[in-house]
Each structure stands twice: as structure tokens, then as C-alpha cells.
Amino acid sequence: MRLAEIIERRPVPAAGLLATLTRRCPLSCAHCSTSSGPRGEDTPAAALRRFVGGFTPADRPDVLMLTGGEPLLLPALVADLAERATAAGTRTAVLSGMFFASGGRVPDRVLRALRHVAHFSASLDVFHEREIPRADVFRAVHILEDSGIDVSFHLTGNSVDDPYLAEITAAVRAEFADRVAMLVNHVRPVGRAAAWAGAGTVSNVGGLNGGTRDGTSADGVPAADGTPAADAAPSPCAMAAWPVVAFDGTVVACCNQRVVDTRPVPEHLRLGHVAEDGWPDVRRRCQDSPVLRALRTSGTTSCADCRGLAGDDLAAAVRTGSRPAAGAVDALGARLQREAGAAVLLRRYGSAPYAPLVLLGGGGRDGDGAVRAPREATA
């Protein structure tokens, strides 16, 4: 499964599920959005197995994205969840900080786990490179690629015009001869990065996949803290489409890191719990919630405003999302965004100049909906 295929599905309600396996991570990157570390919590594994085991061919997400923390600290759980998902027709993707790649190795337990997944993405940036050298990451990704695993990179810079992004994207293109897609972001002031990342980088977007180590969301798309700009206008939020299993098993409606990590979860953003609810209930709540429909079609000015919806504003969102045509508008918006393609979505939610790099390797669609050949992507 190509990276662009995953991103194209991101605006479609309940087309994917993001699952945090742990908040533990052996790395301590300065831009980590989740502030993961060696002593973080593990998500209840038995409840996760039961929840994913409840997928059926007739009722399942297209994509299961496993993230953390570092999901490959639990390779047996990764393999088990991927097997259960595959049995129902769901394809699994994993995003890793590459802690295991020291010396350019891929340990047997990691390779065995990844043979069950449809896509693997490696996080790489100046912070990760201080702990795992780039050359080691490249060698490990080559091993995975040679094993038949579809691979990509999630790359992060300090800002959209960071020279590092130009250098690292060129290095990946040269090393992998444009076979490997890239999702490129820049750091937002979230998690450990909140102490130093510039407030001017904040926007009203969440992330594509949940919480990661890299100042972005679990799918690598920016996880902003939600502080609105002075002139911010309401904007539809495609990130209120995929449910997210948080570290404690709570299922939330978006991947904004404060929603994922802070308790209690605002009631309009809580979809259930993996120990108590099944996928059909979570899917139905995600697709049919009037508030989430309103957020996907009309939006708010910021993630902070979304989290704080209450009183008259919450009632207005309920009215908007309950109108007779609201479901049809929601479905049409999701379809149009999917047809526009991954690169168009990443111009809004990633680092826009590098959005076309998601099409490298083939399998994606450009802005006119046409399938593009691997080397037509430029940045």
C-alpha cells in the first residue's frame, strides 16, 4: 500500500483508525509531540486485540495505522493486530522512529512483525539523526524495501523554509532513486517542542494520524496546539474523520495531541473505549455525530476552539450537523477531497512546497485525480 493511498483516504470518515500502542520510546527527541520516553504507558493490549478482532469484511476501516510512542517496542502486538486486521480486509501501516536501526540493522523480531503490514514509514529529521545516524536509517530501510515491504519517509524540519528539508529530501530521492514517497512537515509548538518552537507556526490543523515523536501527529501531519491567529476564519477540518485510540484505550475523534493526551476528553470528541465498545459503534459515532459533521464541513477557527466547544457554540454545531442535507454534504466533501489526491491534501496539512513528494514511487493521484508516474513528482 503506497503512502499516497493512505493519505487520500484521510478525509473520509471512519476510513481509517489510528491506534497508539504505547507512549514509551527509547529516543528523547527535542521536538516530540507526545513527550514519549522510556517510562510511558502501554495501551491495554488485550482490549486492543479484542477491538481489532471485531473488524469484519462488511464493517471495518480500510487502514489501521499503528503509532506511539514507538510501536515497534511491541513487535508481537504489531504482528498480532496486523494479522487480525488483514483477516477482515483492513490494511495496516506502521510509523516508527527507527530506534532499532543502529548499525543499519533490522532485528529479526522487527522484520517478522513488519512482514504482516502493508506499509512502513520511517521518521527522519535532524533530531532523530542525533540519535540514529542517517546512514543507518537508510541501510535499514533498504533492508525492509528488499524484503518486499512498501516503505516511505516522514520528514520534519524546523520551519517550512528550513534548509534541512531541501537537503534531506534530495538525499532520500538520490538514495532510493525516487522509489520512496515522502510526507514532509515542519515542527509545531506541541509536546517537548512547545518550549521552543515559534508560536507563529501554529495553525488550525490537527494531524493525519495521531501522536508521534516528531512534533507532528502520528501520521506525520502537523499537530498544532490550536492557538488561533488574530485573523483566523473557520475552516473545515478533515482531521475529524479518523478515530484515534489513545494511550488509555479511549477512542477520540481527532488526532490533536491535546485531545489524545488530556483527560477528560471533551464529550463531543469522545467516541468510546476499546474495552467497552466495538468498531461498529465507534464508526457510527464518527460518521453520524452532528458535531463532527459540522467540524468536517464548516469547521472552527482553531483546534483550541474545537476542544472548547460549549453552550451556544456547541448547540450551533449540533444544529448545523443535524440539518437534513448535512450527511450528504459531509460525504460529498470527503469524496471531493479524496479525488483531489494526496498532494492537494498535504499542501494544506503538511509543508506545502514538498507536498508532491508523496507521489514518488507511484500509486497516488495528483490534483486532477489522474494517477501519476513515479518520477513526475517534483518539489
Side-chain angles (χ1 to χ4, degrees), residues 50-75:
R50 184 201 67 83
F51 186 80
V52 173
F55 297 172
T56 68
D59 197 347
R60 50 147 179 94
D62 292 338
V63 180
L64 172 64
M65 172 70 76
L66 304 180
T67 182
E70 174 50 67
L72 287 171
L73 288 175
L74 301 165

Side-chain angles (χ1 to χ4, degrees), residues 63-291:
V63 180
L64 172 64
M65 172 70 76
L66 304 180
T67 182
E70 174 50 67
L72 287 171
L73 288 175
L74 301 165
L77 181 59
V78 167
D80 189 12
L81 294 176
E83 283 189 291
R84 291 168 187 253
T86 300
T90 296
R91 292 185 284 183
T92 301
V94 173
L95 176 61
S96 171
M98 302 300 291
F99 75 98
F100 58 82
S102 181
R105 302 177 306 109
V106 179
D108 289 344
R109 66 186 184 281
V110 170
L111 189 57
R112 285 195 301 271
L114 293 179
R115 284 179 174 145
H116 295 277
V117 310
H119 188 84
F120 174 82
S121 198
S123 284
L124 186 61
D125 46 68
V126 68
F127 305 97
H128 283 93
E129 289 196 42
R130 292 170 185 166
E131 303 200 42
I132 308 294
R134 179 188 305 183
D136 289 354
V137 171
F138 281 179
R139 283 196 293 271
V141 171
H142 275 299
I143 292 170
L144 297 176
E145 185 186 34
D146 291 345
S147 299
I149 299 166
D150 197 83
V151 297
S152 66
F153 282 93
H154 278 48
L155 307 174
T156 306
N158 284 337
S159 64
V160 69
D161 56 357
D162 187 347
Y164 175 82
L165 288 180
E167 188 274 328
I168 187 60
T169 54
V172 171
R173 297 188 73 167
E175 178 73 21
F176 294 92
D178 277 357
R179 295 188 307 274
V180 176
M182 290 172 266
L183 192 162
V184 182
N185 294 303
H186 49 284
V187 175
R188 267 60 170 191
V190 182
R192 280 196 284 269
W196 58 267
T201 64
V202 178
S203 69
N204 68 331
V205 299
L208 285 183
N209 285 349
T212 58
R213 307 141 297 284
D214 60 2
T216 64
S217 68
D219 46 16
V221 172
D225 78 346
T227 305
D231 58 351
S235 178
C237 181
M239 299 302 103
W242 285 16
V244 179
V245 180
F247 67 95
D248 59 354
T250 301
V251 187
V252 299
C254 83
C255 50
N256 177 272
Q257 203 59 51
R258 293 189 182 178
V259 175
V260 174
D261 287 345
T262 304
R263 298 293 177 270
V265 177
E267 193 58 33
H268 61 282
L269 298 177
R270 189 182 190 279
L271 297 179
H273 194 284
V274 292
E276 303 163 359
D277 301 286
W279 168 253
D281 293 325
V282 167
R283 174 194 50 75
R284 175 179 50 78
R285 292 165 189 159
C286 174
Q287 293 175 333
D288 297 346
S289 162
V291 176

